[in-house]
């Protein structure tokens, strides 16, 4: 067969394999993905619909409760005002006031009663007693929160005022309640706006003859302010008070309020803005319904009780009332309105989160399904990784076996020489051999200690217990322990650390790092050289920088990165042929990084090395 034909067949086989492999991966992915995703999608939609339904029910119940509370507050306020009026009108001194005898004492007592009422309640602009001719007998003005009696010479006649004539027509215990409007002075609406309701009832003498009226000019803002005193944590709603013609007495836009009092605002009504909704509201006492504009909840307030009367009133107070209002004709509507945007804001936000969740879930499931479909591939990769790991361990144990053999050979050789020639050696020779034995023993101990520490670290048996450590104290301790080894090579070992530096670290791990770095520096420094340990503030905020510097043989640039790699590291003899595995540096890197720091090396061959690492700083009170 020609080579070209072999190549074509090979390409076709490869193409068929890739196509079959791709179809298999896709089909397996979809088989795993689709059922799970559909189940999660259905569950998510059910949860979403249930949550939105419950959320709307909470909104509706909350709005009903809110409107009920406002209705109760306003009705209670009106009842209190009427009770004040009736109690004052039934004062027995009023019956004797109209007798022919001198009634100076009675009038003074009544003045005190009227003034005390105004001072105590502070919800009345005026409290007045008017006789049958329309003359004011007593008048207490609010006087900016400091009620006072108006002197006799300043009292006026109110016979032509509609509220006097309407109230004087009533029978005993009947009450006149005017519509709520803005106070007018000298033909102009008083500024700042002063909403007002007038309450009045007739008074009689001992013979039962009607002799005048008691009149309250009540601050309407007291009622209107009760619409503000609510905390609605569920959703922001607009609470409004409308009169029977659909004008705003209290609304979301202050400029649209009291339209019936201004010629140029007659068109500013709730009924014009929400005509269909007003038609539903005006004919029902209470209801709750949702429209495309939002959720509306309303209830009707009837300020008049049985035996109470009202009239439409007029813009000019001196004219007679246009018509009498019956009980059911005088009403206000409390309306709570949640716009659609606010009503569904949380639901829309939750929908976005659900959609985002499903998108991430889709991606995650696709990825997981793809991973499962390619399980064979990853299994092969895992086997390959395990093989590589085993080769690394074999190399590691090969290094350990080699480097353990050398110090033990030294120990055995020196002890054999000492045993065979003990008597022939003088004290100086025996001392030299013992010192060599001591050095080999220490190196062997350090090797075994590092090996055991590394083993515990890899199996997770080392407890990590960080705490505040005074770095100067710890460095001083390690330097003292390392000084004999330095003195054996006539190496100067110094330290330079500020006293107030503290780190947050595990003490045992930090001791291991410092001990290994100092031992390593001594090992690769020639006799009469120097090793220095220092600590200072790092350029990286919140960290301390600790360094171990030496004037040793240095390290070539291509070897620096390999010093911290177990599969690259090889044992190197020191300047005095000291043995070692390099395992200590691997431990240093692992322990420093475990405590949130980093370690690096700066070195130049023939000029020495500097091992630097950082640890988190603990700020003292003076530095914080």
């Amino acid at each position: 067969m020609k080579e070209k034909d072999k190549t074509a067949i090979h390409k076709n086989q490869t193409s068929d394999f890739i196509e079959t492999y791709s179809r298999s991966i896709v089909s397996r992915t979809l088989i795993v993905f689709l059922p799970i995703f559909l189940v999660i999608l259905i569950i998510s939609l059910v949860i979403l619909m249930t949550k939105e339904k419950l959320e709307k029910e909470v909104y509706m119940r909350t709005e009903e409760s809110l409107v009920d509370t406002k209705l109760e507050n306003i009705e209670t306020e009106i009842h209190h005002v009427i009770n004040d009026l009736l109690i004052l009108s039934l004062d027995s001194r009023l019956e004797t006031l109209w007798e022919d005898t001198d009634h100076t004492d009675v009038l003074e007592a009544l003045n005190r009663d009227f003034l005390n009422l105004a001072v105590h309640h502070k919800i009345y602009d005026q409290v007045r007693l008017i006789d049958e001719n329309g003359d004011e007998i007593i008048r207490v003005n609010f006087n900016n929160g400091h009620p006072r009696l108006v002197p006799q010479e300043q009292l006026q006649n109110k016979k032509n005022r509609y509220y006097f004539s309407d109230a004087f027509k009533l029978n005993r215990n009947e009450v006149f309640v005017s519509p709520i409007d803005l106070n007018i002075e000298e033909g102009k609406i008083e500024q700042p706006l002063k909403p007002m309701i007038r309450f009045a009832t007739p008074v009689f003498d001992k013979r039962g003859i009607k002799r005048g009226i008691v009149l309250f000019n009540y601050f309407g803002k007291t009622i209107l302010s009760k619409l503000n005193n609510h905390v609605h944590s569920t959703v922001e709603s607009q609470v409004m008070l409308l009169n029977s013609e659909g004008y705003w007495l209290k609304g979301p836009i202050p400029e649209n309020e009291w339209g019936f009092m201004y010629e140029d605002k007659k068109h500013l009504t709730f009924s014009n803005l929400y005509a269909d909704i007003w038609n539903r509201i005006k004919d029902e006492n209470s209801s709750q319904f949702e429209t495309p504009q939002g959720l509306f909840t309303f209830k009707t307030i009837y300020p008049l009780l049985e035996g109470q009367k009202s009239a439409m009133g007029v813009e000019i107070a001196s004219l007679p009332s246009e018509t009498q209002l019956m009980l059911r004709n005088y009403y206000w509507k409390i309306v709570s309105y949640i716009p659609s945007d606010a009503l569904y804001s949380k639901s829309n936000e939750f929908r976005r989160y659900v959609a985002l969740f499903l998108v991430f879930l889709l991606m995650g499931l696709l990825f997981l399904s793809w991973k499962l479909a390619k399980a064979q591939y990853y299994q092969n990769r895992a086997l390959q990784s395990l093989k590589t790991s085993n080769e690394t361990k074999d190399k590691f144990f090969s290094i350990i076996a080699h480097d353990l053999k050398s110090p033990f050979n030294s120990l055995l050789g020196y002890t054999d020489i000492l045993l065979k020639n003990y008597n022939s050696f003088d004290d100086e020779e025996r001392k030299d051999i013992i010192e060599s034995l001591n050095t080999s023993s220490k190196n062997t101990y350090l090797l075994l200690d590092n090996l055991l520490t590394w083993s515990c670290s890899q199996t997770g048996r080392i407890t990590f217990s960080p705490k505040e450590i005074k770095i100067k104290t710890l460095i001083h301790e390690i330097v003292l322990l390392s000084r004999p080894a330095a003195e054996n090579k006539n190496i100067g070992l110094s330290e330079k650390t500020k006293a107030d530096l503290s780190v947050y670290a595990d003490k045992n791990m930090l001791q291991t790092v410092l001990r290994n770095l100092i031992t390593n520096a001594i090992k690769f420094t020639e006799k009469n050289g120097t090793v220095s340990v220092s600590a200072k503030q790092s350029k990286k905020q919140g960290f301390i920088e600790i360094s171990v510097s030496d004037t040793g043989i240095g390290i070539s640039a291509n070897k620096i990165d390999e010093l911290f790699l177990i599969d690259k590291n090889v044992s190197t003899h020191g300047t005095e042929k000291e043995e070692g595995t390099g395992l200590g540096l691997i431990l240093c890197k692992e322990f420093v990084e475990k405590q949130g720091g980093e370690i690096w090396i700066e070195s130049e061959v023939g000029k020495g090395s500097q091992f630097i690492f950082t640890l988190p700083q603990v700020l003292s009170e003076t530095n914080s």
Side-chain angles (χ1 to χ4, degrees):
M1 184 178 292
K2 295 181 179 181
E3 188 66 28
K4 184 185 292 185
D5 294 335
K6 290 182 179 180
T7 303
I9 292 173
H10 177 71
K11 287 183 178 179
N12 289 334
Q13 289 175 342
T14 302
S15 176
D16 291 341
F17 171 77
I18 293 174
E19 184 178 352
T20 303
Y21 176 77
S22 299
R23 281 201 305 267
S24 175
I25 292 298
V26 171
S27 61
R28 287 175 180 273
T29 299
L30 292 177
I31 289 172
V32 175
F33 166 75
L34 287 177
I36 298 175
F37 182 74
L38 287 175
V39 169
I40 293 176
L41 178 62
I42 293 172
I43 293 174
S44 299
L45 291 175
V46 170
I47 292 174
L48 181 63
M49 294 172 63
T50 304
K51 180 183 180 300
E52 290 183 356
K53 181 180 178 181
L54 292 175
E55 192 173 76
K56 184 180 289 187
E57 288 177 355
V58 170
Y59 290 165
M60 295 174 71
R61 288 196 299 269
T62 302
E63 292 305 295
E64 285 180 343
S65 175
L66 174 67
V67 172
D68 284 340
T69 300
K70 300 304 153 193
L71 175 68
E72 182 179 346
N73 290 344
I74 293 175
E75 287 182 339
T76 300
E77 180 67 17
I78 292 173
H79 292 170
H80 288 164
V81 174
I82 291 174
N83 286 339
D84 286 346
L85 181 72
L86 292 176
I87 290 172
L88 194 59
S89 70
L90 296 176
D91 191 323
S92 60
R93 285 186 285 263
L94 281 174
E95 294 181 348
T96 61
L97 180 65
W98 316 106
E99 295 178 357
D100 294 335
T101 59
D102 182 21
H103 53 260
T104 302
D105 293 341
V106 174
L107 185 59
E108 288 179 355
L110 287 171
N111 278 332
R112 288 194 299 271
D113 291 344
F114 276 56
L115 181 61
N116 287 337
L117 176 70
V119 169
H120 179 70
H121 291 286
K122 292 189 178 181
I123 57 174
Y124 303 116
D125 186 44
Q126 292 181 342
V127 179
R128 290 183 280 183
L129 174 64
I130 302 176
D131 68 13
E132 57 194 317
N133 298 317
D135 292 321
E136 293 179 335
I137 305 300
I138 301 172
R139 173 153 56 100
V140 179
N141 285 344
F142 182 67
N143 193 34
N144 293 322
H146 304 283
R148 67 178 182 83
L149 285 163
V150 175
Q152 288 290 323
E153 62 272 15
Q154 296 180 16
L155 298 178
Q156 302 173 355
N157 183 277
K158 303 295 181 181
K159 184 175 183 179
N160 295 325
R161 306 288 179 161
Y162 77 90
Y163 50 79
F164 171 75
S165 57
D166 288 343
F168 194 72
K169 295 175 184 177
L170 302 181
N171 297 319
R172 189 186 295 272
N173 293 328
E174 288 184 341
V175 176
F176 170 79
V177 182
S178 76
I180 185 170
D181 56 19
L182 299 177
N183 197 49
I184 297 176
E185 291 292 340
E186 298 179 358
K188 295 182 180 180
I189 296 175
E190 185 177 352
Q191 296 292 336
L193 300 182
K194 188 185 289 185
M196 198 68 62
I197 306 176
R198 295 173 179 85
F199 293 84
T201 189
V203 293
F204 300 82
D205 60 18
K206 289 184 178 181
R207 294 173 294 174
I209 299 174
K210 192 184 304 182
R211 303 303 299 268
I213 65 170
V214 175
L215 175 69
F216 291 169
N217 283 20
Y218 171 76
F219 284 125
K221 67 178 181 181
T222 308
I223 285 178
L224 299 179
S225 65
K226 294 186 180 298
L227 300 176
N228 297 328
N229 299 331
H230 71 282
V231 176
H232 196 334
S233 59
T234 309
V235 68
E236 185 176 351
S237 61
Q238 300 173 9
V239 181
M240 299 171 273
L241 185 66
L242 311 174
N243 69 8
S244 57
E245 295 177 297
Y247 284 100
W248 278 287
L249 305 177
K250 180 74 175 179
I253 304 175
E255 292 76 11
N256 292 348
E257 297 171 352
W258 308 103
F260 60 92
M261 298 293 296
Y262 301 88
E263 285 299 329
D264 60 340
K265 292 186 177 182
K266 296 287 187 182
H267 64 287
L268 296 177
T269 65
F270 181 91
S271 56
N272 285 338
L273 186 60
Y274 304 104
D276 295 340
I277 295 169
W278 175 249
N279 289 332
R280 293 183 63 175
I281 288 177
K282 71 177 183 179
D283 296 328
E284 296 184 51
N285 281 336
S286 63
S287 185
Q288 186 177 62
F289 54 88
E290 186 180 355
T291 70
Q293 290 98 326
L295 178 67
F296 291 86
T297 308
F298 75 92
K299 287 206 170 182
T300 307
I301 301 176
Y302 295 98
L304 300 181
L305 303 174
E306 289 297 333
Q308 296 173 11
K309 308 291 183 181
S310 185
M312 289 183 64
V314 288
E315 294 182 7
I316 302 175
S318 59
L319 297 179
S321 296
E322 295 176 358
T323 182
Q324 293 292 314
L325 294 177
M326 296 296 101
L327 254 173
R328 307 300 292 182
N329 300 125
Y330 187 5
Y331 62 81
W332 304 324
K333 299 283 185 178
I334 297 181
V335 181
S336 176
Y337 166 51
I338 304 178
S340 291
D341 291 344
L343 184 63
Y344 291 104
S345 62
K346 290 187 178 180
S347 296
N348 291 336
E349 184 178 2
F350 186 70
R351 288 178 184 179
R352 286 193 293 271
Y353 285 136
V354 170
L356 190 63
F357 165 75
L358 290 176
V359 168
F360 279 110
L361 184 64
L362 170 65
M363 296 170 61
L365 283 176
L366 280 173
F367 178 74
L368 180 61
S369 302
W370 176 75
K371 290 273 286 184
L372 291 174
K374 297 189 71 175
Q376 184 65 45
Y377 169 77
Y378 284 105
Q379 183 178 10
N380 292 337
R381 289 288 300 272
L383 290 174
Q384 183 63 33
S385 177
L386 180 61
K387 181 180 178 182
T388 302
S389 177
N390 287 333
E391 290 175 353
T392 301
K393 289 181 180 179
D394 290 343
K395 186 170 183 179
F396 168 76
F397 285 116
S398 175
I399 294 171
I400 296 301
H402 175 269
D403 289 328
L404 274 177
K405 183 178 180 181
S406 293
F408 274 110
N409 283 337
S410 297
L411 289 173
L412 291 172
Y414 282 126
T415 53
D416 284 341
I417 293 173
L418 189 61
L419 286 172
K420 292 177 181 179
N421 302 289
Y422 185 82
N423 293 326
S424 62
F425 285 160
D426 57 25
D427 291 341
E428 188 66 27
E429 289 174 324
R430 283 195 291 269
K431 182 181 179 183
D432 289 341
I433 292 175
I434 291 172
E435 286 178 351
S436 298
L437 284 171
N438 182 56
T439 301
S440 295
S441 298
K442 287 181 179 178
N443 291 335
T444 305
Y445 173 78
L446 181 60
L447 171 61
L448 289 173
D449 183 59
N450 283 336
L451 176 61
L452 291 173
T453 302
W454 182 86
S455 175
C456 291
S457 174
Q458 298 305 303
T459 56
R461 295 200 302 271
I462 290 183
T463 302
F464 180 55
S465 303
K467 62 181 179 180
E468 180 178 355
I469 299 173
K470 296 290 185 181
I471 192 65
K472 182 177 180 65
T473 302
L474 186 64
I475 288 176
H476 183 69
E477 292 175 359
I478 302 298
V479 166
L480 285 178
L481 293 174
S482 304
R483 199 172 295 282
E487 290 174 349
N488 286 339
K489 295 180 70 173
N490 199 27
I491 291 173
L493 179 58
S494 62
E495 56 179 289
K496 183 179 180 181
T497 307
K498 290 177 63 177
D500 59 346
L501 294 180
S502 297
V503 296
Y504 186 69
D506 183 287
K507 186 174 182 179
N508 291 330
M509 290 186 178
L510 183 51
Q511 286 175 332
T512 299
V513 172
L514 287 170
R515 186 181 69 246
N516 275 288
L517 292 181
I518 294 173
T519 300
N520 196 64
I522 294 172
K523 174 182 175 183
F524 292 101
T525 300
E526 300 280 0
K527 287 185 177 182
N528 301 317
T530 60
V531 174
S532 175
V533 185
S534 64
K536 64 180 182 179
Q537 188 76 43
S538 174
K539 293 180 180 179
K540 184 178 180 182
Q541 187 175 5
F543 283 82
I544 294 297
E545 186 174 291
I546 305 167
S547 64
V548 178
S549 306
D550 62 63
T551 57
I553 61 177
I555 309 167
S556 61
N558 62 332
K559 294 292 184 182
I560 288 178
D561 292 337
E562 296 180 356
L563 293 178
F564 296 119
L565 301 175
I566 186 65
D567 58 336
K568 299 289 185 181
N569 194 285
V570 294
S571 61
T572 307
H573 293 290
T575 58
E576 295 293 313
K577 307 301 181 182
E578 299 99 327
E579 301 288 346
T581 64
L583 183 60
L585 292 180
I586 296 169
L587 277 174
C588 289
K589 178 177 173 62
E590 183 172 331
F591 285 176
V592 167
E593 291 179 349
K594 188 176 185 67
Q595 297 175 93
E598 55 182 333
I599 186 169
W600 67 95
I601 304 171
E602 297 175 359
S603 183
E604 187 175 349
V605 175
K607 293 186 178 181
S609 304
Q610 185 177 20
F611 287 77
I612 309 164
F613 65 95
T614 59
L615 290 174
Q617 180 181 11
V618 178
L619 294 177
S620 63
E621 293 184 1
T622 57
N623 293 333
S624 60

